[in-house]
Amino acid sequence: MGRKEREKEQLIRTLNNHLNNIHETLQVLNQTAAPSLEKVSWNDVIQMGEQVSKKATVVGMLWTGETPEAKAIEENMAEYFNMLQGFVLLSHGSTVGAGPTLSLSIHASVKQVVDSSFKLMMESITLYGSDNKDKEHLMPQYVGAVWEACSALKKTPATNITAIGRAMTQVAVSMKDVLREMKELKPSSSDQNNEASHDDSAKADSEHQEDDNSSLDELGNDLSSEEMKVAQLAIGIVSDMLVVIKELIRTITGLLKHENPDDGGKFVDTLERLLKLCQGIGVQIDELGASLYPPQELSVIKAASVKILSMTDELQKEVESFNSSSEAFIQACNGLRSSLKQMDSEVDCFNTTDLEAKLQNVAISN
């Protein structure tokens, strides 16, 4: 075994030791820091991330000229991982008073920095002793990945309210997707009007695509008039729910001053419950949307409506516990309740009409 090979093996062993130490440190992030610890400002974490970014630049610069010595790589590696470990520990201190949602956001951002750092150092050692000079041009990409991960720290939420508000926004985004699909539902008559133009365009596709497109186009294009009424009411429910979430986010954003680390986490716990309720409603909205395609599953629609109503009542109750609930939020909840009652009435009417039709058919056949 030549000198280069022996040095490379030593570098790999050294890297593995650093990786093991960082992994052990990362385990600390799986648990929120104890409330008794002094909270670290997220700005301090961002500044530490900038130092990691600069150190990554130094790692990349080692490969801009002649191949560096193994000792230089090893020393550079030690400095880099010492700084990275300090970064991880500092970020852990920022989780003092953090709820599950904020902790998850912080952990994800920190892990991006750590993962991109691992790849950078792995590539650095892979290059050592390699005859493939072209791979050296890849180093800026790995350095750039560390820069991006460190820069993304500036976008990471620093408070529970911000983290939970963003999570609620994601729920709203998913609901908007469901709403868009609901609005694409059409009565059966529209199929006949569009049949000719659809056939012409379909011929240009491959046979496999033609089959897929045909089935997709037909899905949701043959609703009866009664089913379209239910679909329109469902659209109203989702639209009203989006207003509720918008007013909810506006309400909790205005409560930033209420986030007090000395309250034993009660305020944060309430916010987390609000988020879970929003996510639970999001699941029911998905169920509602999937049940609108013919033949409509009225029992599922009814069940989803009941659950959404129940969780909306819980939402309002939690918000009212702040003693500063928004009138606009209350109005939005009332509007949603009205839409849900309309849906229940229409589904019950649909069920009755369907039953009468079946009984009439039985009587005629007899």
Side-chain angles (χ1 to χ4, degrees):
M1 182 184 294
R3 179 176 64 86
K4 288 283 187 182
E5 287 77 8
R6 290 196 300 272
E7 288 175 341
K8 189 167 187 174
E9 283 197 357
Q10 176 58 35
L11 287 173
I12 292 173
R13 284 194 293 269
T14 303
L15 176 61
N16 286 333
N17 288 334
H18 285 305
L19 296 184
N20 290 334
N21 289 335
I22 288 293
H23 276 302
E24 290 177 3
T25 307
L26 273 176
Q27 296 305 312
V28 176
L29 265 181
N30 290 332
Q31 298 179 351
T32 303
S36 57
L37 296 177
E38 183 178 354
K39 183 176 178 61
V40 174
S41 167
W42 187 249
N43 285 332
D44 292 340
V45 178
I46 292 175
Q47 290 175 8
M48 189 66 167
E50 291 173 352
Q51 296 304 312
V52 172
S53 181
K54 291 177 181 178
K55 193 56 99 174
T57 303
V58 174
V59 173
M61 290 180 65
L62 284 175
W63 296 94
T64 56
E66 295 294 325
T67 301
E69 295 292 327
K71 183 177 181 181
I73 296 175
E74 189 169 356
E75 289 175 350
N76 196 271
M77 195 190 311
E79 292 176 5
Y80 190 93
F81 278 105
N82 282 337
M83 181 170 289
L84 188 63
Q85 189 162 33
F87 165 77
V88 173
L89 290 172
L90 193 67
S91 65
H92 178 63
S94 71
T95 63
V96 173
T101 304
L102 177 58
S103 294
L104 191 63
S105 297
I106 291 174
H107 188 278
S109 295
V110 171
K111 194 172 184 301
Q112 275 193 324
V113 175
V114 172
D115 288 347
S116 59
S117 295
F118 285 176
K119 291 176 182 178
L120 172 64
M121 300 310 298
M122 287 285 288
E123 183 64 16
S124 180
I125 292 178
T126 300
L127 285 175
Y128 186 75
S130 173
D131 294 330
N132 189 353
K133 296 298 182 182
D134 292 336
K135 291 197 69 177
E136 294 181 12
H137 298 298
L138 296 176
M139 282 301 287
Q141 295 181 20
Y142 290 97
V143 174
V146 177
W147 289 352
E148 290 178 6
C150 292
S151 179
L153 296 171
K154 299 175 183 177
K155 299 178 182 179
T156 302
T159 66
N160 287 291
I161 285 180
T162 304
I164 290 172
R166 288 186 187 178
M168 287 180 177
T169 301
Q170 287 301 311
V171 173
V173 169
S174 297
M175 287 185 185
K176 286 181 180 178
D177 289 339
V178 175
L179 181 61
R180 175 181 51 78
E181 292 176 2
M182 285 181 174
K183 290 181 177 180
E184 292 175 355
L185 295 170
K186 299 175 183 178
S188 55
S189 58
S190 65
D191 237 3
Q192 298 171 359
N193 295 333
N194 297 328
E195 185 175 358
S197 60
H198 171 69
D199 287 344
D200 291 339
S201 62
K203 291 178 182 178
D205 297 328
S206 67
E207 184 175 347
H208 177 69
Q209 289 175 324
E210 186 177 338
D211 291 340
D212 287 345
N213 289 340
S214 177
S215 61
L216 287 172
D217 289 341
E218 290 174 4
L219 185 63
N221 279 359
D222 54 352
L223 272 69
S224 66
S225 59
E226 291 83 2
E227 289 173 331
M228 277 304 300
K229 288 181 183 178
V230 173
Q232 290 298 328
L233 288 172
I235 289 172
I237 289 172
V238 180
S239 298
D240 288 344
M241 189 64 236
L242 286 169
V243 176
V244 169
I245 292 182
K246 182 186 75 172
E247 294 301 333
L248 175 61
I249 293 174
R250 184 176 295 175
T251 299
I252 66 173
T253 301
L255 297 172
L256 187 59
K257 61 181 180 293
H258 291 263
E259 190 168 349
N260 180 8
D262 299 325
D263 71 349
K266 293 179 181 178
F267 178 69
V268 176
D269 289 345
T270 301
L271 294 181
E272 293 287 352
R273 286 196 295 272
L274 287 172
L275 174 58
K276 285 187 177 180
L277 285 168
C278 287
Q279 291 170 334
I281 291 174
V283 172
Q284 295 308 314
I285 293 294
D286 288 342
E287 289 284 335
L288 182 61
S291 303
L292 294 178
Y293 291 93
Q296 289 182 344
E297 301 176 72
L298 296 181
S299 60
V300 176
I301 293 173
K302 179 89 171 179
S305 178
V306 170
K307 290 177 182 177
I308 292 172
L309 178 60
S310 174
M311 286 185 278
T312 300
D313 290 341
E314 290 184 57
L315 270 179
Q316 184 170 334
K317 184 178 179 181
E318 291 287 357
V319 171
E320 288 175 342
S321 70
F322 295 139
N323 297 321
S324 58
S325 57
S326 163
E327 183 64 30
F329 173 74
I330 303 299
Q331 289 179 358
C333 289
N334 289 335
L336 175 60
R337 289 190 186 95
S338 177
S339 295
L340 289 167
K341 288 179 180 177
Q342 281 184 277
M343 172 66 85
D344 284 345
S345 176
E346 183 64 30
V347 169
D348 289 342
C349 181
F350 195 175
N351 276 328
T352 301
T353 303
D354 187 49
L355 179 60
E356 289 175 352
K358 289 179 179 178
L359 290 174
Q360 188 175 10
N361 288 337
V362 171
I364 292 173
S365 63
N366 287 338

